[in-house]
Amino acid sequence: MFGDASCTGRTVVISGFGSVGSGIAAGLAAEGAHVVVSDLDASRKEMALASGYGWVEPGQALSAPADIRVPAAVGGVLDDVTVPQITARLVVGPANNQLTEERVADVLAERGIVWVPDYVASAGGIAYALSRESEGYSHEAAQKRVEDIGDTVTRILDLALATGTTPLRAAQQIAERRLASPAS
């Protein structure tokens, strides 16, 4: 997205500073990102500031200057009204059902915003749990499976670029292929 994998110097705005959002914030800050958070629960502002993060009010989170936007709370936040407010080039986060409608993926693409489908971005928890509990993987092997999600994101974005489609449609195509041929 930005020419390298480093978060150093990137501004990341995270909406939702609960257990998931605060974990994302800590990880990104440790990687050198400038983290700005937002939450509907105003009591979290003090905790965010004490952690060294910036704060933006929820109503300004989408339009706040950012390289990366991370929806980490509620779904249904990306629609025809909110997408034009987004300043980030990349939207990726664990909130479920971020798009109000599938066609919003086209609106994001038309604006030059790369959106990683939420079900891909948030797959780590289920991949880890299933690997450990159902398949008996070691912690290291399960963690490797989680890290492989990065390769999946790369495949999705590469396919979207190569075929002139959105990351949503590319992810759907890959999922359909995997379901049709589980060995692949």
Side-chain angles (χ1 to χ4, degrees):
M1 212 35 242
F2 302 102
D4 61 44
S6 174
C7 291
T8 302
R10 306 264 179 250
T11 298
V12 181
V13 175
I14 302 170
S15 292
F17 195 59
S19 61
V20 173
S22 62
I24 293 169
L28 289 168
E31 293 292 323
H34 170 66
V35 176
V36 177
V37 299
S38 178
D39 199 287
L40 292 174
D41 181 349
S43 70
R44 297 188 183 194
K45 180 177 181 178
E46 190 174 315
M47 181 174 44
L49 295 175
S51 298
Y53 310 135
W55 178 266
V56 64
E57 293 301 322
Q60 283 74 49
L62 286 171
S63 60
D67 298 300
I68 304 167
R69 173 91 172 76
V70 180
V74 299
V77 296
L78 301 175
D79 61 25
D80 291 324
V81 173
T82 59
V83 168
Q85 298 174 38
I86 297 172
T87 60
R89 289 180 45 209
L90 174 63
V91 176
V92 56
N96 293 325
N97 305 311
Q98 296 168 17
L99 305 179
T100 56
E101 304 175 64
E102 282 191 14
R103 67 171 190 73
V104 175
D106 296 313
V107 177
L108 287 159
E110 288 165 7
R111 292 210 53 240
I113 299 169
V114 174
W115 175 70
V116 176
D118 49 319
Y119 56 86
V120 177
S122 64
I126 193 72
Y128 183 86
L130 286 173
S131 295
R132 294 282 288 156
E133 296 172 16
S134 296
E135 299 175 26
Y137 282 33
S138 67
H139 165 75
E140 292 77 17
Q143 187 63 35
K144 169 74 169 91
R145 206 170 200 189
V146 171
E147 291 167 5
D148 287 346
I149 294 169
D151 295 336
T152 300
V153 170
T154 298
R155 278 195 301 280
I156 290 167
L157 297 180
D158 287 348
L159 178 61
L161 186 61
T163 61
T165 191
T166 65
L168 175 62
R169 288 196 186 84
Q172 290 169 335
Q173 290 171 7
I174 290 170
E176 288 167 5
R177 278 189 237 139
R178 286 184 179 179
L179 289 172
S181 176
S184 63

